[in-house]
Amino acid sequence: MTNINETYNDPKKLANDYVHEVYEEVKKRNAGESEFLQATREIFDSLRPVFAKNPHYIEDGILERLTEPDRIITFRVAWEDDQGKVHVNRGYRVQFNSELGPYKGGIRFHPSVNLSIMKFLAFEQIFKNSLTGQPIGAGKGGSDFDPKNKSEREIMRFVQSFMTELSKYLGPDLDVPAGDIGVGRREVGYMTGQYNRIHGGFEPGVFTGKDPNYGGSLGRKEATGYGTVYFAEEMLKTNDLHFKGSKVIVSGSGNVSTYAMEKAIELGATVIACSDSGGYIYDENGIDVETVKQIKEVEGERIKKYRKYHSTAKYVEGCEDIWSLSCDIALPCATQNELDEAAAVKLIENGLKAVAEGANMPCTQEAINLFKEHKILFAPAKAANAGGVAVSAMEMSQNSMRLSWTTEEVDERLHTVMKNIYASCLQAAEEYGHPGDLVVGANIAGFLKVANAMVSHGIR
Ligand code: NDP
């Protein structure tokens, strides 16, 4: 480990050596976990100026402790399909950090789920949750279960089996999951039901993203998408740009995408394309978000069906090419690493002005580097999509107080939270010598609060 006394008179070298050594160790300990290493690398690069200015964090081993989860729970999920055939999936919960509050972060059901993806998402959640200013720690969970083409009863049986094991590790002051890819209100409802069945009584405060009729917060469903657009609008405003009159591409057509589209349209933008994992729809005159809701939320169908309602729209097989269209603002809202260097090149050639990440880590590092090089405004996920978890924390407060805020109240609070996050990212970037760099600003602002809590709680 770095000899602090020897190198103290060169704080920059000390910081660089420290970050380098810890990253090498993280690489060794987490070999092959590419998404987790990608997420840690990105944070580490931003934190060098923090360690140069505050070497006491090095003495406290903050980075070493921050990159090792409090605990990881993995378990078997056996369930029976409608034909009586038994299936086995793997369940995960990564309880990464509880310095600021109970573990908080969604549950993802998708065949791609593995430990690396769970760890990257839980790690990102540390900084995101810190940025919201709410008293919440960080976690993430899920399973490699694929909810596509399953009956409602199969999904219910799977969720009940999943929750039977996971419920041992949850509680309103311990760990409070929510939804994510493949997990919406219905699945959160089944999880709540099974948790209550096991523990007895009715405990609303152990999940967020619930149906507002049964303890959920109004405005939670919309929060991540709306929040992304609120954050992006702040960033655009600072640079004399606006959603009004802009052409926007939104990838995905799930929870985050739908409400990002809705808010962007409300602010006067034209959303020209959206997608699912099968392909994308495109209409220069604007996508009708109510039709998207009808297809995805009511009918549970593929985005391809949009043409049945709007024959002037085009449907293109394969989702990647959505980034070859020309737009002013790109909102990647589907999944990790969906916008790579080649996509960034096309977007820039076609006149792109700004990107805001609605999904977690949707842009590869190479794409982000290109955006920076070409002075494209860039809002990183951990700041831009923090609105969902911020309203989840509001749901926890409402559950504790046994009351419900109105949609308008929640939306106003969300808007304030997003403006505050933007301001703190800008301020941290400025203070640490990277004015206007929201990636560095978000990483540093998120880090400082957690690091200070770790110092104050002692080495553990
Ligand atoms: P959903 O499951 O509701 O929607 C995901 C959407 O993305 C679906 O339309 C899916 O299509 C599509 N999709 C998946 N892979 C691709 C791909 N490679 N290209 C294009 N579309 C794709 O998930 P959410 O909207 O909840 O989550 C989306 C992202 O936002 C995730 O990264 C998640 O972690 C992040 N996020 C979500 C929050 C929330 O509150 N829900 C909070 C913060 C972040 P298909 O149906 O074909 O699979």
Side-chain angles (χ1 to χ4, degrees):
M1 190 35 60
T2 310
N3 182 338
I4 291 181
N5 292 332
E6 236 176 51
T7 41
Y8 240 122
N9 48 13
D10 187 353
K12 246 184 170 167
K13 179 171 173 1
L14 171 69
N16 282 343
D17 286 355
Y18 174 61
V19 168
H20 176 74
E21 283 174 30
V22 178
Y23 185 68
E24 287 306 307
E25 190 58 29
V26 168
K27 251 184 6 196
K28 237 191 283 167
R29 289 163 75 86
N30 303 279
E33 296 182 359
S34 59
E35 293 85 359
F36 178 58
L37 293 174
Q38 183 184 343
T40 47
R41 166 111 237 180
E42 193 247 323
I43 292 272
F44 278 31
D45 284 341
S46 305
L47 295 180
R48 290 171 206 273
V50 178
F51 294 114
K53 208 167 173 179
N54 309 282
H56 68 279
Y57 291 140
I58 301 178
E59 289 170 37
D60 274 330
I62 296 290
L63 219 41
E64 296 89 322
R65 288 156 58 202
L66 200 60
T67 44
E68 190 64 26
D70 287 2
R71 67 191 64 78
I72 298 174
I73 302 142
T74 61
F75 51 97
R76 178 182 65 243
V77 189
W79 59 281
E80 217 176 335
D81 69 18
D82 290 341
Q83 283 68 47
K85 186 173 179 329
V86 175
H87 299 262
V88 175
N89 286 98
R90 187 170 294 169
Y92 300 90
R93 185 73 181 164
V94 178
Q95 297 182 331
F96 219 119
N97 189 291
S98 60
E99 298 289 348
L100 299 180
Y103 304 107
K104 185 87 200 84
I107 300 275
R108 176 178 292 192
F109 293 159
H110 193 272
S112 64
V113 163
N114 58 31
L115 187 57
S116 170
I117 290 180
M118 293 286 97
K119 281 170 68 180
F120 118 65
L121 289 165
F123 183 69
E124 289 274 299
Q125 202 84 43
I126 301 176
F127 304 88
K128 180 187 316 202
N129 293 5
S130 163
L131 280 170
T132 67
Q134 314 259 24
I136 40 178
K140 198 82 188 189
S143 172
D144 56 359
F145 173 75
D146 186 357
K148 281 203 191 89
N149 305 316
K150 302 290 188 301
S151 72
E152 275 217 47
R153 287 297 162 89
E154 286 172 334
I155 289 175
M156 185 182 77
R157 283 196 294 276
F158 170 79
V159 170
Q160 289 177 340
S161 179
F162 178 82
M163 192 41 58
T164 300
E165 182 59 25
L166 188 60
S167 68
K168 298 169 192 164
Y169 307 97
L170 307 181
D173 298 315
L174 173 60
D175 186 344
V176 183
D180 191 76
I181 293 179
V183 177
R185 258 185 207 168
R186 176 183 60 180
E187 292 73 18
V188 169
Y190 293 151
M191 287 197 255
T192 308
Q194 186 70 356
Y195 180 92
N196 286 335
R197 181 182 180 190
I198 292 165
H199 288 261
F202 181 78
E203 176 46 78
V206 81
F207 297 97
T208 60
K210 301 181 292 292
D211 187 317
N213 291 311
Y214 317 107
S217 176
L218 291 164
R220 172 61 186 90
K221 186 170 76 167
E222 296 83 356
T224 310
Y226 279 17
T228 302
V229 172
Y230 289 149
F231 188 94
E233 181 71 359
E234 289 302 303
M235 174 177 80
L236 292 166
K237 257 190 336 209
T238 315
N239 295 277
D240 277 335
L241 296 166
H242 292 278
F243 272 98
K244 196 172 169 48
S246 296
K247 260 200 309 187
V248 178
I249 297 176
V250 180
S251 61
S253 48
N255 174 261
V256 179
S257 322
T258 301
Y259 294 96
M261 286 194 252
E262 184 166 271
K263 187 52 76 178
I265 293 167
E266 200 185 303
L267 294 185
T270 306
V271 174
I272 56 157
C274 73
S275 57
D276 61 22
S277 59
Y280 68 87
I281 52 163
Y282 165 62
D283 190 340
E284 194 64 37
N285 298 316
I287 300 293
D288 176 28
V289 74
E290 290 308 319
T291 309
V292 175
K293 282 189 200 171
Q294 170 67 25
I295 295 167
K296 297 305 247 187
E297 293 181 1
V298 181
E299 300 169 19
E301 289 273 0
R302 313 297 300 156
I303 202 64
K304 192 177 189 170
K305 201 170 173 193
Y306 187 87
R307 287 209 65 227
K308 190 184 139 200
Y309 296 100
H310 302 274
S311 54
T312 52
K314 289 193 184 69
Y315 175 76
V316 181
E317 281 301 331
C319 51
E320 301 84 14
D321 266 0
I322 193 170
W323 307 121
S324 65
L325 301 169
S326 134
C327 71
D328 303 303
I329 303 166
L331 302 178
C333 294
T335 194
Q336 63 272 359
N337 293 328
E338 54 161 312
L339 198 167
D340 61 10
E341 191 175 9
V345 168
K346 284 187 208 146
L347 283 166
I348 294 168
E349 277 172 7
N350 287 333
L352 178 75
K353 298 189 182 79
V355 181
E357 296 186 314
N360 284 313
M361 210 167 73
C363 300
T364 63
Q365 192 55 54
E366 294 75 22
I368 297 171
N369 294 344
L370 269 185
F371 294 145
K372 212 168 166 180
E373 207 178 291
H374 288 83
K375 308 231 172 329
I376 307 293
L377 303 177
F378 181 74
K382 59 176 78 64
N385 75 18
V389 75
V391 172
S392 273
M394 294 177 206
E395 185 169 324
M396 289 163 76
S397 302
Q398 293 170 75
N399 290 157
S400 297
M401 295 188 284
R402 301 286 195 261
L403 53 76
S404 304
W405 296 332
T406 62
T407 306
E408 292 72 27
E409 250 177 303
V410 173
D411 191 49
E412 203 182 310
R413 286 171 195 262
L414 168 67
H415 206 156
T416 306
V417 167
M418 298 315 295
K419 283 183 177 174
N420 290 345
I421 295 177
Y422 180 70
S424 55
C425 292
L426 267 194
Q427 196 200 326
E430 176 84 35
E431 195 179 326
Y432 283 88
H434 293 266
D437 188 332
L438 295 172
V439 174
V440 171
N443 289 344
I444 293 180
F447 170 82
L448 287 173
K449 192 167 176 204
V450 184
N452 291 337
M454 289 172 80
V455 171
S456 102
H457 293 153
I459 295 170
R460 58 193 184 117

